[in-house]
Structures are given as C-alpha cells and as structure tokens.
Amino acid sequence: MAELRVTLGPLQLRNPVLAAAGTYGYGLEFAESVPLHQLGAVVTKTLTLAPRPGNPPPRLVETPSGLLNAVGLQNIGLQAFLRDALPRLRELGATVIVSILGDSPEDVAAMAQQLDGAEGVAAIELNLSCPNLQDGSRLGLEPVRMVAQDPGATAAVVAAARGRTGKPLLAKLSPDVTDLAPIAQAAQRGGADILTIANTFTGMSLDPQTGRSRLGALTGGLSGPAIRPLAVYRVWYTARTVSLPIIGAGGIVRAQDALEFFRAGARAIAVGTANFADPAAPLRVLRGLERHMGRHRLERFAQLLGAPDPAPAGA
Ligand SMILES: Cc1cc2nc3c(=O)[nH]c(=O)nc-3n(C[C@H](O)[C@H](O)[C@H](O)COP(=O)(O)O)c2cc1C
C-alpha cells in the first residue's frame, strides 16, 4: 500500500487531499457519508469573530464548466464552532484546519489566540481572499479590494496571527492579482508556513435582458474546472518564487487533475466545487492517486513530488 503521508513545513497530514474551505461546511454535514478521518484535512467554512448571515440570494449561478458563488461569509462564529462543532470533529478523528477572516489585524489576532489553545485544530488558514468582503477600509484598503491584493495588508494580517499562535499558519491567496510573487513573499515575511493557491476569481453574470446580476451580491467568485488552468499556472509560477509549500486548488475533480497540480509544484491539493456534485470527491481523488502510485510502483508520495519540472509539449 502506498504511503501518502505529506509534510508541509510544520504540518504533517496523513495524505495530500483536503476538502476546500466553504465547500464542506464544518465537516460534520458530510460525516455520515464520508469517513472524515480518511481525508488529509477538512478546511472549515471561513469563520469570523461574530456570526454572519452571509449575502442575499441567489448565491450560486452555474457558468460554463464553473460555478459563480456569492455565499458571503455566512457562518456560526468562532465561539460556536469551538463549542459545538470542534468536539464532534475531534471524536470523528478528522484533521481540522480552521479558516478565519477578520475585518482588522486585531480581529485576526484575537481569533488566532483563541484557536492557539484549541485541542484538535491542526492548523489555521487565513482567508485573505474572499471576493465578497464588503469593507476593506479598516485595513487601509479600498472597499472592494481584498487583503491578498495588497502586499502590505497581507504581511500585516499574517503577522497579526503569527504573533498569537504557534499553530501552522496557512495564507490563502487570491488569483486576482497581476503578480502573485510579491503577495506570496509578503505572506512569507509575515510568518506564514504554507500558501493555499488559490481562492476563486471574481466574476459577474448578468441577465442580458434586464442588466441585473444573477447573484444577490452583484459579483461572485468563479470556481470549478473553468479555472483549473489558471490555478495550475499560478501554483507553478508561485512555486518558482517562494520556498513555502503550496496547497493547490481550482477545479480539481479527479486524480489526474490533482497530479497536474503536483507537477506544477503543489505539495497537497484541496477539492472544492466538486464536493457539491459528490461529497466523496476528495476520497475518489485519493483512491485515484493510490492507484496511480501503484501503477508506477511508487511507494511514497514524496517520490511523486520528485517528478521533473514541467516541459513544453514536444520537448
Ligand atoms: C460555494 C463556495 C464557497 C466557498 N467559501 C469559501 C470560504 O468560506 N473560504 C475560503 O477560503 N474559500 C471559499 N471558497 C473557495 C474554495 O475553497 C476554493 O479555493 C475555490 O473554490 C477553488 O477550488 P474549486 O474550483 O475546487 O472549487 C468557496 C468556494 C465555493 C464554490
């Protein structure tokens, strides 16, 4: 049997396949049909200090090979998560990465501190890239900008969390930038251990007759197979510019897609939109990776990561 254990800086996972933030609830929603303890990790829906209702409906629109969402940050709040969901996730043996977002570095610091002492939290993922964040002004940003579109804000938010926790810290970046390198470097400077690349691409879908958005929040985030080549490129590009391990995400449906990300330089991957069609998608990807390793007589996942750099077609 292939050994899929993977080490991402200070974070050790039983395998490199994660359920992506916001597409698996708090994990418990799928616990009856999916053995959570078999996944590399479950990343929670992004939590905020206080509960939030999220955006008005409609929140989802299907697009060619993709999904446009404007769920917003509907969540139960960090306290309720720690009290009600985390103990059950611990019982189930799930590896839990808690995704958080604050309106200010102080918010993020306070959340990181609460999570630091929480048993059963393997790592913290900083969502620096929510396309539906309403107000960046407390971070000194234009209201429509995300933290991960500004190197200074990225370093400040990561440093705020780093100052309060020794847990492994993931920075989830936005693909919506001209150049990911300075943002990734800022995250590293702030003290991030791992990068998640990437969140959704900001998009818009309009009714051509009325000019109205098909989403209640006007704009949304595009995910699914439509964004895979864009995400693979960004992983490859960023892996060449920073030394931090990268978790790749964007349109992964099957093991072949995951392999593409590993070839690009990702050390682990997260499955998102595919979970809406099949909550067992991450497990299917995992089984496919095991078969691939078996076929190629690879005993350890590290051997798979040691593949040569991508080359042009015909080279
Ligand atoms: C409905 C929906 C909700 C999401 N919510 C979050 C979230 O709360 N926090 C976050 O960091 N990413 C969130 N994401 C982004 C995913 O975690 C993932 O980065 C992105 O969708 C790309 O992967 P995919 O194409 O496999 O979905 C959400 C995506 C979708 C489709």
Side-chain angles (χ1 to χ4, degrees), residues 250-294:
I252 296 171
V253 180
R254 49 186 64 89
Q256 288 303 313
D257 308 332
L259 287 167
E260 206 178 332
F261 276 87
F262 296 138
R263 285 282 193 183
R267 301 262 288 273
I269 58 93
V271 178
T273 301
N275 296 321
F276 293 108
D278 176 11
L283 276 185
R284 277 195 296 98
V285 169
L286 184 59
R287 300 292 167 249
L289 288 177
E290 285 167 351
R291 280 195 300 277
H292 173 86
M293 289 175 66

Side-chain angles (χ1 to χ4, degrees), residues 98-125:
V98 177
S99 168
I100 59 170
L101 179 145
D103 284 336
S104 65
E106 294 74 32
D107 272 15
V108 173
M111 296 176 86
Q113 181 151 8
Q114 287 186 51
L115 286 164
D116 190 50
E119 192 194 331
V121 174
I124 301 170
E125 181 170 86

Side-chain angles (χ1 to χ4, degrees), residues 20-23 44-46 60 67 69 71-73 99 125 127 129 172 198-200 222-225 227 249-252 270-274 276:
T23 65
T44 67
K45 172 74 192 159
T46 295
L60 297 176
L67 180 69
N69 95 81
V71 172
L73 291 170
S99 168
E125 181 170 86
N127 179 357
S129 43
K172 183 158 180 182
N199 212 315
T200 51
L222 184 65
S223 63
I227 69 166
I252 296 171
V271 178
T273 301
F276 293 108

Side-chain angles (χ1 to χ4, degrees), residues 14-15 17 19 24 34-42 95 282-283 286:
R14 64 173 65 85
N15 67 62
V17 181
Y24 233 62
V34 179
L36 298 182
H37 65 277
Q38 291 184 17
L39 299 178
V42 174
T95 299
L283 276 185
L286 184 59

